Amino acid sequence: MEYSPLLHNLHVVVPPPHVKNKLFVFCIMLSLWVYMIYCCVGYCSTMPSGVIVAVNKPAGRPETETESSDVVVGLFDNQDSSSSLGVVSRDLLNNENDLDSRGGEDWDEIIRSEARASEDNSNNNAIMSGFFNESESKKLPQAIIIGVKKGGTRALLEFLRVHPDIRAVGAEPHFFDRNYDKGLEWYRELMPKTLEGQMTMEKTPSYYVTKEVPARIHAMSKDTKLIVVVRDPVTRVISDYTQTRSKKPDIPSFKSLTFKNMTAGVIDTTWSAVQIGMYAKHLERWLQYFPLEQLLFVSGERLISDPAGEMARVQDFLGLRRVVTHKYFHFNPAKGFPCLKRPEGNSKPHCLGKTKGRTHPNIDPEIVQRLRDFYKPFNSKFYQMTGHDFGWD
């Protein structure tokens, strides 16, 4: 090799091996800390600033409801008993497929985004602590909101999701009525990850009226706690019809669907909207598999007029601390209903916007009265079976 004076005069200091190892470890640690700071900042920017749910004060009609950060969701229609007698009312609750003002697809994306953010945060914490938190896992639900459609199930679920000891699926799984053949492991994978001490929940309102469901849930776990949200069956059937008509404007009239024989005034019990309100008939099937004390019946009307009181009953039934109290509910005198917000901080309650709502059709008072007469014996039996008078008659 040719000799170079330049290289001869160049003094290169080569650090000893142990110094190089320390520098290498230092660079890795520095990179990890920079990455963690970047992830934490990104995660914080995606955290929801509050869950806002609007609820009408008058006892009336819950549909499917929803939650998001600073997104207002109508939980019940703004109607009283007079609306059933032909007065035009506003249905302020989203229907089962329109989970909030941005649509069901956007709501599902919110749920997925929150789940991703939660999992990212868990992974970041694991890296910082040097190990993966194996105590977090997916479990089959210990409690299920099984019904009823247009009763206020979404409202109740979103109230419960505020509780730190509850983790719940946002979308309705429909496992026990539509997807049972996919197996329990498929069902488990739909559930959010929970820590030890947290309760997993889901809600699918059609469970209550589906014949096969009680046996299937019992086969999964005979200890599952079941919640049924019920409301005045006459108001419920009108709300149900209103939702269907919003999707299919050309459906038959309410009167023609209600009566099997309009001249004789015989109610058509084959119409699913009428069947759902026959609560006692469905309850008999559930009591063949579960004791009465394992079911809680929540009043959809009280979920509006006294949400904190009804939530106290629900939390006690689930064996939870009474976290969701009156502090989470703010009554708006201008709008006439309470709004739900997180009590910490100074965030202003958001309530239902003017564009939210659906107009109910005018119903002939005679039809309403015939429906009330039809449901009266079912209501009486339901009161006796549950030991609670809901005051619908």
Side-chain angles (χ1 to χ4, degrees), residues 355-389:
T355 58
K356 184 71 67 178
R358 185 181 296 114
T359 302
H360 277 192
N362 289 319
I363 305 298
D364 188 330
E366 183 180 352
I367 297 176
V368 173
Q369 188 56 51
R370 286 185 179 274
L371 278 170
R372 293 206 177 282
D373 292 341
F374 168 77
Y375 279 121
K376 190 169 184 178
F378 290 100
N379 291 345
S380 297
K381 187 173 182 180
F382 187 64
Y383 298 165
Q384 293 174 359
M385 295 174 74
T386 60
H388 182 75
D389 187 339

mmCIF file of all heavy atoms in Angstrom, residues 355-389:
data_model
loop_
_atom_site.group_PDB
_atom_site.id
_atom_site.type_symbol
_atom_site.label_atom_id
_atom_site.label_comp_id
_atom_site.label_asym_id
_atom_site.label_seq_id
_atom_site.Cartn_x
_atom_site.Cartn_y
_atom_site.Cartn_z
ATOM 1 N N THR A 355 -81.773 21.052 14.319
ATOM 2 C CA THR A 355 -81.958 20.191 13.148
ATOM 3 C C THR A 355 -82.243 18.745 13.519
ATOM 4 O O THR A 355 -82.635 17.948 12.671
ATOM 5 C CB THR A 355 -80.696 20.211 12.263
ATOM 6 O OG1 THR A 355 -79.576 19.785 13.034
ATOM 7 C CG2 THR A 355 -80.436 21.619 11.744
ATOM 8 N N LYS A 356 -82.018 18.395 14.776
ATOM 9 C CA LYS A 356 -82.230 17.008 15.198
ATOM 10 C C LYS A 356 -83.709 16.771 15.480
ATOM 11 O O LYS A 356 -84.357 17.533 16.157
ATOM 12 C CB LYS A 356 -81.418 16.724 16.457
ATOM 13 C CG LYS A 356 -81.484 15.306 16.927
ATOM 14 C CD LYS A 356 -80.724 14.383 16.013
ATOM 15 C CE LYS A 356 -79.252 14.676 16.070
ATOM 16 N NZ LYS A 356 -78.486 13.761 15.213
ATOM 17 N N GLY A 357 -84.235 15.704 14.950
ATOM 18 C CA GLY A 357 -85.631 15.383 15.257
ATOM 19 C C GLY A 357 -86.367 14.786 14.074
ATOM 20 O O GLY A 357 -85.952 14.903 12.935
ATOM 21 N N ARG A 358 -87.455 14.180 14.379
ATOM 22 C CA ARG A 358 -88.277 13.554 13.351
ATOM 23 C C ARG A 358 -89.732 13.771 13.721
ATOM 24 O O ARG A 358 -90.140 13.553 14.855
ATOM 25 C CB ARG A 358 -87.964 12.047 13.279
ATOM 26 C CG ARG A 358 -88.667 11.327 12.182
ATOM 27 C CD ARG A 358 -88.328 9.837 12.185
ATOM 28 N NE ARG A 358 -86.914 9.593 11.910
ATOM 29 C CZ ARG A 358 -86.071 9.085 12.791
ATOM 30 N NH1 ARG A 358 -86.486 8.771 13.998
ATOM 31 N NH2 ARG A 358 -84.808 8.886 12.482
ATOM 32 N N THR A 359 -90.530 14.222 12.764
ATOM 33 C CA THR A 359 -91.930 14.536 13.039
ATOM 34 C C THR A 359 -92.781 13.277 13.088
ATOM 35 O O THR A 359 -92.737 12.461 12.177
ATOM 36 C CB THR A 359 -92.489 15.481 11.952
ATOM 37 O OG1 THR A 359 -91.698 16.657 11.920
ATOM 38 C CG2 THR A 359 -93.927 15.851 12.263
ATOM 39 N N HIS A 360 -93.570 13.146 14.144
ATOM 40 C CA HIS A 360 -94.486 12.013 14.253
ATOM 41 C C HIS A 360 -95.734 12.273 13.420
ATOM 42 O O HIS A 360 -96.168 13.405 13.276
ATOM 43 C CB HIS A 360 -94.912 11.832 15.710
ATOM 44 C CG HIS A 360 -93.922 11.057 16.513
ATOM 45 N ND1 HIS A 360 -94.203 10.566 17.769
ATOM 46 C CD2 HIS A 360 -92.654 10.665 16.250
ATOM 47 C CE1 HIS A 360 -93.160 9.916 18.247
ATOM 48 N NE2 HIS A 360 -92.208 9.977 17.341
ATOM 49 N N PRO A 361 -96.326 11.222 12.905
ATOM 50 C CA PRO A 361 -97.579 11.404 12.164
ATOM 51 C C PRO A 361 -98.740 11.692 13.113
ATOM 52 O O PRO A 361 -98.669 11.374 14.308
ATOM 53 C CB PRO A 361 -97.766 10.058 11.471
ATOM 54 C CG PRO A 361 -97.088 9.084 12.387
ATOM 55 C CD PRO A 361 -95.891 9.820 12.937
ATOM 56 N N ASN A 362 -99.784 12.295 12.597
ATOM 57 C CA ASN A 362 -100.996 12.491 13.391
ATOM 58 C C ASN A 362 -101.714 11.153 13.512
ATOM 59 O O ASN A 362 -102.029 10.509 12.513
ATOM 60 C CB ASN A 362 -101.923 13.500 12.724
ATOM 61 C CG ASN A 362 -101.368 14.914 12.793
ATOM 62 O OD1 ASN A 362 -100.828 15.314 13.823
ATOM 63 N ND2 ASN A 362 -101.493 15.656 11.714
ATOM 64 N N ILE A 363 -101.959 10.735 14.746
ATOM 65 C CA ILE A 363 -102.623 9.458 14.990
ATOM 66 C C ILE A 363 -104.030 9.725 15.516
ATOM 67 O O ILE A 363 -104.216 10.503 16.460
ATOM 68 C CB ILE A 363 -101.841 8.603 16.004
ATOM 69 C CG1 ILE A 363 -100.388 8.412 15.542
ATOM 70 C CG2 ILE A 363 -102.521 7.252 16.197
ATOM 71 C CD1 ILE A 363 -100.228 7.696 14.231
ATOM 72 N N ASP A 364 -104.992 9.084 14.907
ATOM 73 C CA ASP A 364 -106.391 9.213 15.325
ATOM 74 C C ASP A 364 -106.525 8.825 16.796
ATOM 75 O O ASP A 364 -106.079 7.739 17.199
ATOM 76 C CB ASP A 364 -107.248 8.303 14.447
ATOM 77 C CG ASP A 364 -108.748 8.506 14.681
ATOM 78 O OD1 ASP A 364 -109.134 8.862 15.808
ATOM 79 O OD2 ASP A 364 -109.519 8.296 13.725
ATOM 80 N N PRO A 365 -107.140 9.686 17.626
ATOM 81 C CA PRO A 365 -107.305 9.359 19.054
ATOM 82 C C PRO A 365 -108.004 8.023 19.296
ATOM 83 O O PRO A 365 -107.717 7.333 20.278
ATOM 84 C CB PRO A 365 -108.142 10.522 19.592
ATOM 85 C CG PRO A 365 -107.854 11.648 18.652
ATOM 86 C CD PRO A 365 -107.644 11.027 17.308
ATOM 87 N N GLU A 366 -108.911 7.640 18.412
ATOM 88 C CA GLU A 366 -109.614 6.376 18.579
ATOM 89 C C GLU A 366 -108.646 5.196 18.432
ATOM 90 O O GLU A 366 -108.750 4.200 19.158
ATOM 91 C CB GLU A 366 -110.738 6.253 17.549
ATOM 92 C CG GLU A 366 -111.557 4.978 17.722
ATOM 93 C CD GLU A 366 -112.676 4.853 16.701
ATOM 94 O OE1 GLU A 366 -112.916 5.828 15.959
ATOM 95 O OE2 GLU A 366 -113.297 3.775 16.639
ATOM 96 N N ILE A 367 -107.694 5.322 17.505
ATOM 97 C CA ILE A 367 -106.697 4.266 17.325
ATOM 98 C C ILE A 367 -105.826 4.155 18.565
ATOM 99 O O ILE A 367 -105.526 3.052 19.042
ATOM 100 C CB ILE A 367 -105.824 4.557 16.085
ATOM 101 C CG1 ILE A 367 -106.692 4.554 14.819
ATOM 102 C CG2 ILE A 367 -104.696 3.534 15.963
ATOM 103 C CD1 ILE A 367 -105.921 4.930 13.559
ATOM 104 N N VAL A 368 -105.438 5.314 19.083
ATOM 105 C CA VAL A 368 -104.605 5.334 20.285
ATOM 106 C C VAL A 368 -105.324 4.661 21.448
ATOM 107 O O VAL A 368 -104.742 3.857 22.187
ATOM 108 C CB VAL A 368 -104.221 6.778 20.651
ATOM 109 C CG1 VAL A 368 -103.506 6.816 22.003
ATOM 110 C CG2 VAL A 368 -103.342 7.391 19.580
ATOM 111 N N GLN A 369 -106.604 4.961 21.610
ATOM 112 C CA GLN A 369 -107.368 4.382 22.710
ATOM 113 C C GLN A 369 -107.524 2.875 22.549
ATOM 114 O O GLN A 369 -107.432 2.119 23.527
ATOM 115 C CB GLN A 369 -108.752 5.031 22.798
ATOM 116 C CG GLN A 369 -109.545 4.618 24.029
ATOM 117 C CD GLN A 369 -108.787 4.898 25.325
ATOM 118 O OE1 GLN A 369 -108.294 6.013 25.548
ATOM 119 N NE2 GLN A 369 -108.662 3.878 26.183
ATOM 120 N N ARG A 370 -107.726 2.415 21.329
ATOM 121 C CA ARG A 370 -107.840 0.977 21.097
ATOM 122 C C ARG A 370 -106.521 0.263 21.423
ATOM 123 O O ARG A 370 -106.517 -0.850 21.950
ATOM 124 C CB ARG A 370 -108.254 0.702 19.653
ATOM 125 C CG ARG A 370 -109.716 1.009 19.367
ATOM 126 C CD ARG A 370 -110.094 0.599 17.958
ATOM 127 N NE ARG A 370 -111.489 0.876 17.677
ATOM 128 C CZ ARG A 370 -112.499 0.055 17.953
ATOM 129 N NH1 ARG A 370 -112.247 -1.108 18.549
ATOM 130 N NH2 ARG A 370 -113.742 0.377 17.653
ATOM 131 N N LEU A 371 -105.418 0.922 21.118
ATOM 132 C CA LEU A 371 -104.106 0.357 21.467
ATOM 133 C C LEU A 371 -103.927 0.307 22.984
ATOM 134 O O LEU A 371 -103.403 -0.665 23.529
ATOM 135 C CB LEU A 371 -102.986 1.175 20.829
ATOM 136 C CG LEU A 371 -102.672 0.866 19.361
ATOM 137 C CD1 LEU A 371 -101.719 1.915 18.792
ATOM 138 C CD2 LEU A 371 -102.054 -0.531 19.223
ATOM 139 N N ARG A 372 -104.369 1.345 23.651
ATOM 140 C CA ARG A 372 -104.251 1.360 25.112
ATOM 141 C C ARG A 372 -105.099 0.237 25.725
ATOM 142 O O ARG A 372 -104.673 -0.436 26.677
ATOM 143 C CB ARG A 372 -104.684 2.713 25.669
ATOM 144 C CG ARG A 372 -103.744 3.850 25.286
ATOM 145 C CD ARG A 372 -103.764 4.993 26.280
ATOM 146 N NE ARG A 372 -102.793 6.017 25.892
ATOM 147 C CZ ARG A 372 -101.495 5.938 26.095
ATOM 148 N NH1 ARG A 372 -100.991 4.863 26.703
ATOM 149 N NH2 ARG A 372 -100.694 6.913 25.722
ATOM 150 N N ASP A 373 -106.275 0.038 25.186
ATOM 151 C CA ASP A 373 -107.131 -1.040 25.685
ATOM 152 C C ASP A 373 -106.487 -2.406 25.415
ATOM 153 O O ASP A 373 -106.586 -3.318 26.246
ATOM 154 C CB ASP A 373 -108.500 -0.965 24.998
ATOM 155 C CG ASP A 373 -109.293 0.268 25.408
ATOM 156 O OD1 ASP A 373 -108.964 0.851 26.460
ATOM 157 O OD2 ASP A 373 -110.215 0.656 24.654
ATOM 158 N N PHE A 374 -105.849 -2.526 24.254
ATOM 159 C CA PHE A 374 -105.198 -3.788 23.897
ATOM 160 C C PHE A 374 -104.039 -4.095 24.839
ATOM 161 O O PHE A 374 -103.876 -5.235 25.302
ATOM 162 C CB PHE A 374 -104.695 -3.718 22.450
ATOM 163 C CG PHE A 374 -103.771 -4.830 22.079
ATOM 164 C CD1 PHE A 374 -104.260 -6.110 21.799
ATOM 165 C CD2 PHE A 374 -102.388 -4.629 22.021
ATOM 166 C CE1 PHE A 374 -103.400 -7.153 21.464
ATOM 167 C CE2 PHE A 374 -101.527 -5.670 21.680
ATOM 168 C CZ PHE A 374 -102.036 -6.930 21.401
ATOM 169 N N TYR A 375 -103.213 -3.078 25.129
ATOM 170 C CA TYR A 375 -102.013 -3.307 25.942
ATOM 171 C C TYR A 375 -102.303 -3.383 27.447
ATOM 172 O O TYR A 375 -101.462 -3.867 28.215
ATOM 173 C CB TYR A 375 -100.996 -2.191 25.692
ATOM 174 C CG TYR A 375 -100.178 -2.368 24.434
ATOM 175 C CD1 TYR A 375 -100.191 -1.400 23.429
ATOM 176 C CD2 TYR A 375 -99.380 -3.495 24.239
ATOM 177 C CE1 TYR A 375 -99.432 -1.548 22.271
ATOM 178 C CE2 TYR A 375 -98.620 -3.661 23.094
ATOM 179 C CZ TYR A 375 -98.652 -2.672 22.110
ATOM 180 O OH TYR A 375 -97.908 -2.835 20.968
ATOM 181 N N LYS A 376 -103.463 -2.915 27.884
ATOM 182 C CA LYS A 376 -103.743 -2.827 29.319
ATOM 183 C C LYS A 376 -103.566 -4.149 30.053
ATOM 184 O O LYS A 376 -102.893 -4.201 31.094
ATOM 185 C CB LYS A 376 -105.141 -2.264 29.546
ATOM 186 C CG LYS A 376 -105.404 -1.924 31.004
ATOM 187 C CD LYS A 376 -106.694 -1.132 31.152
ATOM 188 C CE LYS A 376 -106.897 -0.720 32.609
ATOM 189 N NZ LYS A 376 -108.124 0.099 32.774
ATOM 190 N N PRO A 377 -104.129 -5.260 29.582
ATOM 191 C CA PRO A 377 -103.914 -6.531 30.314
ATOM 192 C C PRO A 377 -102.455 -6.983 30.299
ATOM 193 O O PRO A 377 -101.981 -7.558 31.291
ATOM 194 C CB PRO A 377 -104.818 -7.521 29.568
ATOM 195 C CG PRO A 377 -105.076 -6.908 28.231
ATOM 196 C CD PRO A 377 -105.069 -5.433 28.456
ATOM 197 N N PHE A 378 -101.755 -6.724 29.206
ATOM 198 C CA PHE A 378 -100.329 -7.070 29.157
ATOM 199 C C PHE A 378 -99.543 -6.222 30.160
ATOM 200 O O PHE A 378 -98.643 -6.727 30.837
ATOM 201 C CB PHE A 378 -99.782 -6.852 27.742
ATOM 202 C CG PHE A 378 -100.281 -7.834 26.729
ATOM 203 C CD1 PHE A 378 -101.300 -7.488 25.867
ATOM 204 C CD2 PHE A 378 -99.755 -9.121 26.651
ATOM 205 C CE1 PHE A 378 -101.778 -8.386 24.922
ATOM 206 C CE2 PHE A 378 -100.224 -10.040 25.719
ATOM 207 C CZ PHE A 378 -101.246 -9.664 24.849
ATOM 208 N N ASN A 379 -99.898 -4.938 30.242
ATOM 209 C CA ASN A 379 -99.216 -4.048 31.184
ATOM 210 C C ASN A 379 -99.456 -4.494 32.625
ATOM 211 O O ASN A 379 -98.523 -4.534 33.443
ATOM 212 C CB ASN A 379 -99.703 -2.609 31.006
ATOM 213 C CG ASN A 379 -99.253 -1.997 29.690
ATOM 214 O OD1 ASN A 379 -98.348 -2.519 29.025
ATOM 215 N ND2 ASN A 379 -99.869 -0.902 29.304
ATOM 216 N N SER A 380 -100.706 -4.824 32.930
ATOM 217 C CA SER A 380 -101.044 -5.246 34.297
ATOM 218 C C SER A 380 -100.261 -6.492 34.699
ATOM 219 O O SER A 380 -99.732 -6.573 35.820
ATOM 220 C CB SER A 380 -102.554 -5.527 34.400
ATOM 221 O OG SER A 380 -103.296 -4.356 34.157
ATOM 222 N N LYS A 381 -100.193 -7.444 33.791
ATOM 223 C CA LYS A 381 -99.439 -8.666 34.085
ATOM 224 C C LYS A 381 -97.957 -8.366 34.227
ATOM 225 O O LYS A 381 -97.276 -8.941 35.090
ATOM 226 C CB LYS A 381 -99.662 -9.693 32.979
ATOM 227 C CG LYS A 381 -99.053 -11.050 33.291
ATOM 228 C CD LYS A 381 -99.431 -12.093 32.260
ATOM 229 C CE LYS A 381 -98.854 -13.451 32.627
ATOM 230 N NZ LYS A 381 -99.214 -14.492 31.621
ATOM 231 N N PHE A 382 -97.449 -7.450 33.417
ATOM 232 C CA PHE A 382 -96.038 -7.077 33.481
ATOM 233 C C PHE A 382 -95.730 -6.409 34.816
ATOM 234 O O PHE A 382 -94.688 -6.677 35.433
ATOM 235 C CB PHE A 382 -95.708 -6.129 32.325
ATOM 236 C CG PHE A 382 -94.248 -5.800 32.189
ATOM 237 C CD1 PHE A 382 -93.316 -6.779 31.875
ATOM 238 C CD2 PHE A 382 -93.795 -4.498 32.357
ATOM 239 C CE1 PHE A 382 -91.970 -6.482 31.736
ATOM 240 C CE2 PHE A 382 -92.456 -4.190 32.220
ATOM 241 C CZ PHE A 382 -91.545 -5.176 31.917
ATOM 242 N N TYR A 383 -96.640 -5.554 35.293
ATOM 243 C CA TYR A 383 -96.458 -4.913 36.592
ATOM 244 C C TYR A 383 -96.378 -5.976 37.692
ATOM 245 O O TYR A 383 -95.544 -5.890 38.606
ATOM 246 C CB TYR A 383 -97.618 -3.965 36.899
ATOM 247 C CG TYR A 383 -97.792 -2.808 35.942
ATOM 248 C CD1 TYR A 383 -98.977 -2.070 35.926
ATOM 249 C CD2 TYR A 383 -96.778 -2.444 35.045
ATOM 250 C CE1 TYR A 383 -99.157 -1.001 35.068
ATOM 251 C CE2 TYR A 383 -96.952 -1.386 34.170
ATOM 252 C CZ TYR A 383 -98.150 -0.662 34.179
ATOM 253 O OH TYR A 383 -98.326 0.392 33.309
ATOM 254 N N GLN A 384 -97.262 -6.967 37.619
ATOM 255 C CA GLN A 384 -97.281 -8.029 38.634
ATOM 256 C C GLN A 384 -96.008 -8.871 38.585
ATOM 257 O O GLN A 384 -95.442 -9.216 39.625
ATOM 258 C CB GLN A 384 -98.504 -8.929 38.418
ATOM 259 C CG GLN A 384 -99.826 -8.260 38.669
ATOM 260 C CD GLN A 384 -101.004 -9.146 38.300
ATOM 261 O OE1 GLN A 384 -100.837 -10.272 37.833
ATOM 262 N NE2 GLN A 384 -102.232 -8.650 38.511
ATOM 263 N N MET A 385 -95.559 -9.197 37.393
ATOM 264 C CA MET A 385 -94.382 -10.050 37.246
ATOM 265 C C MET A 385 -93.106 -9.355 37.735
ATOM 266 O O MET A 385 -92.237 -9.983 38.321
ATOM 267 C CB MET A 385 -94.218 -10.469 35.775
ATOM 268 C CG MET A 385 -95.335 -11.350 35.258
ATOM 269 S SD MET A 385 -95.209 -11.680 33.491
ATOM 270 C CE MET A 385 -93.853 -12.858 33.474
ATOM 271 N N THR A 386 -93.016 -8.054 37.485
ATOM 272 C CA THR A 386 -91.792 -7.320 37.839
ATOM 273 C C THR A 386 -91.879 -6.680 39.226
ATOM 274 O O THR A 386 -90.853 -6.278 39.775
ATOM 275 C CB THR A 386 -91.508 -6.219 36.812
ATOM 276 O OG1 THR A 386 -92.617 -5.290 36.784
ATOM 277 C CG2 THR A 386 -91.319 -6.809 35.417
ATOM 278 N N GLY A 387 -93.099 -6.585 39.755
ATOM 279 C CA GLY A 387 -93.281 -5.913 41.043
ATOM 280 C C GLY A 387 -93.128 -4.417 40.946
ATOM 281 O O GLY A 387 -92.833 -3.748 41.953
ATOM 282 N N HIS A 388 -93.352 -3.869 39.743
ATOM 283 C CA HIS A 388 -93.203 -2.429 39.560
ATOM 284 C C HIS A 388 -94.283 -1.900 38.638
ATOM 285 O O HIS A 388 -94.501 -2.434 37.550
ATOM 286 C CB HIS A 388 -91.824 -2.125 38.953
ATOM 287 C CG HIS A 388 -91.547 -0.672 38.758
ATOM 288 N ND1 HIS A 388 -91.233 0.170 39.797
ATOM 289 C CD2 HIS A 388 -91.563 0.101 37.648
ATOM 290 C CE1 HIS A 388 -91.036 1.395 39.336
ATOM 291 N NE2 HIS A 388 -91.254 1.376 38.024
ATOM 292 N N ASP A 389 -94.988 -0.851 39.085
ATOM 293 C CA ASP A 389 -96.014 -0.208 38.285
ATOM 294 C C ASP A 389 -95.391 0.947 37.509
ATOM 295 O O ASP A 389 -94.946 1.938 38.085
ATOM 296 C CB ASP A 389 -97.142 0.315 39.192
ATOM 297 C CG ASP A 389 -98.329 0.844 38.397
ATOM 298 O OD1 ASP A 389 -98.164 1.173 37.209
ATOM 299 O OD2 ASP A 389 -99.417 0.948 38.988
#
